[in-house]
Amino acid sequence: MDKTYLVTGGAGFIGANFVKYMLREHSRIRIVVLDALTYAGNLGTILPDLDGSRCQFVKGDICDAELVEGLFREHDFSCVVNFAAESHVDRSIENPQLFLKTNILGTQNLLDAAKKHWTTGKDAKGYPLWKPNVRFHQVSTDEVYGSLGATGYFTETTPLAPRSPYSASKTSADLIVIAYAETYKAPVTVTRCSNNYGPYHFPEKLIPLIIKNILEGKKLPVYGDGSNVRDWLYVEDHCKAIDLVLQNGHNGEIYNVGGHNEKQNIEIVKLTIATIYRLLKENPAYRNVLKKKELLASGEIDIDWINDSLITFVTDRLGHDLRYAIDPAKITAELGWTPETDFETGIVKTIEWYLNNQAWVDDVTSGDYVNYYNQMYANR
Ligand code: NAD
Ligand code: TYD
């Protein structure tokens, strides 16, 4: 095998897509997934990939110094890709401290283990000497740049101005990664991406939540007036960007990864409704996945209730960032990356995946999800 990767958070949405992407694209790599399996992690997602030789799973917390060091001792990692995080803004508003612990201290703990195991001594000035061909990659977010007005784009030099506990914790993590690069000459890269969508997305985030609610005939909660803008990136395009940065990116560099796909939330919701309606119209077999209670009782197959009247405008998120939009010119110019999946194609692929994988949705929402949903949406 050429390389062994430590992929943290590999049982979550983007991490799992990344594990699958890497195993498919590279035959001579090994991956060790470290994941605490919080509510957002699901071992079933990567179970088919755990073949014992190319990919193995370790359940554990990135904040656990002994565990992480043990993994570094056991495996000859040449790369750490840190996806592990508390990732949901709404949850960060309810419980900020957990975000600070996982996202900041967890990242620092991984960096510390890398420094211990990847350095071989010190140079004349006292800087650690790093083994060749090792890399710590931090998966970050465009939310570190704060909120845009109606115009403009985030570039890598846009000042950091996070506004939510989640984005503040991710910004702090970026800063500690960069501090290790400056202070200890650690070989690091950072990618800051926009909102991902695609298979295996936990249904607390906008798109999978809307899909789930439509199939259950529930109301679709749109925060505020639905005019907030996000820049949607198909998850596989994101995985490809990270792979390119790992292969050809330069140590110490930050790369923005965006989909050129700006949409208002209300547009996303309406497009999702229209796409589900069309897919169910064209392929009546898909109607078997409908879980609307009244339908199940009556045996009805009519789907005309799948329309915009399902939308309900609810109390806005506190401190809701108005607009995110990424300028990915740097990664395009330096590494030749562009987002390949336009939104109209990506949303159909995503919805079809959910229609075909309802067992996965049932599995990941079998735990505390119902309590979460009732608490989060009851007072909106
Ligand atoms: P996710 O919430 O779906 O998955 C996070 C994973 O991390 C889960 O498997 C969870 O079990 C694991 N985890 C959480 N705490 C842990 C801990 N202490 N130790 C070990 N594992 C732990 O998140 P995601 O959407 O896949 O996001 C992955 C990364 O990408 C995160 O760092 C996030 O900040 C970043 N990001 C996500 C998006 C997006 O649109 N989803 C956009 C920009 C950046
Ligand atoms: P989300 O998927 O939580 O991602 P992020 O907050 O990281 O951008 O939310 C995407 C957008 O959708 C955001 O503007 C908030 C909005 N939103 C709703 O309108 N309703 C919902 O139920 C959720 C979860 C999000």
Side-chain angles (χ1 to χ4, degrees), residues 129 140 258 288 298 372:
L129 291 166
S140 183
N288 293 336
S298 68
Y372 163 80

Side-chain angles (χ1 to χ4, degrees), residues 116-137:
K116 267 185 203 142
H117 291 268
W118 284 350
T119 57
T120 53
K122 287 187 178 164
D123 71 9
K125 288 185 174 164
Y127 288 109
L129 291 166
W130 292 76
K131 285 165 66 175
N133 305 319
V134 290
R135 173 77 65 75
F136 183 97
H137 183 75

Side-chain angles (χ1 to χ4, degrees), residues 87-90 143 166 195 201 204-207 209-210 221-224 226 228-230 232 265 269 314 317 320-322 324 372 377 380:
S87 70
H88 190 32
V89 174
D90 289 329
E143 300 190 28
Y166 162 71
N195 286 60
H201 204 179
E204 65 181 354
K205 305 282 171 69
L206 180 67
I207 290 179
L209 183 137
I210 293 300
V222 174
Y223 298 168
N228 300 66
V229 172
R230 299 293 183 263
W232 294 94
N265 293 337
V269 174
V314 299
R317 175 185 280 172
H320 196 173
D321 287 343
L322 179 65
Y324 304 142
Y372 163 80
Y377 292 90
R380 284 194 184 272

Side-chain angles (χ1 to χ4, degrees), residues 12 36 46 71 87 117 138 143 173 176 193 211 240 252 286 310 362:
I46 54 162
L71 291 177
S87 70
H117 291 268
Q138 176 70 2
E143 300 190 28
I176 196 70
C193 67
I211 297 173
K240 188 171 186 179
Y286 276 145
L310 290 172
D362 293 344

Side-chain angles (χ1 to χ4, degrees), residues 9-15 34-42 60-63 82-87 102 139-142 166 170 193-196 201-202 204-205 238:
F13 164 47
I14 309 175
L34 171 62
D35 197 299
L37 298 181
T38 67
Y39 78 91
N42 177 40
D61 189 333
I62 57 167
C63 299
N82 184 27
F83 290 97
E86 288 293 333
S87 70
T102 296
V139 180
S140 183
T141 166
D142 59 0
Y166 162 71
K170 291 295 290 185
C193 67
S194 56
N195 286 60
N196 284 224
H201 204 179
F202 190 76
E204 65 181 354
K205 305 282 171 69
H238 181 203

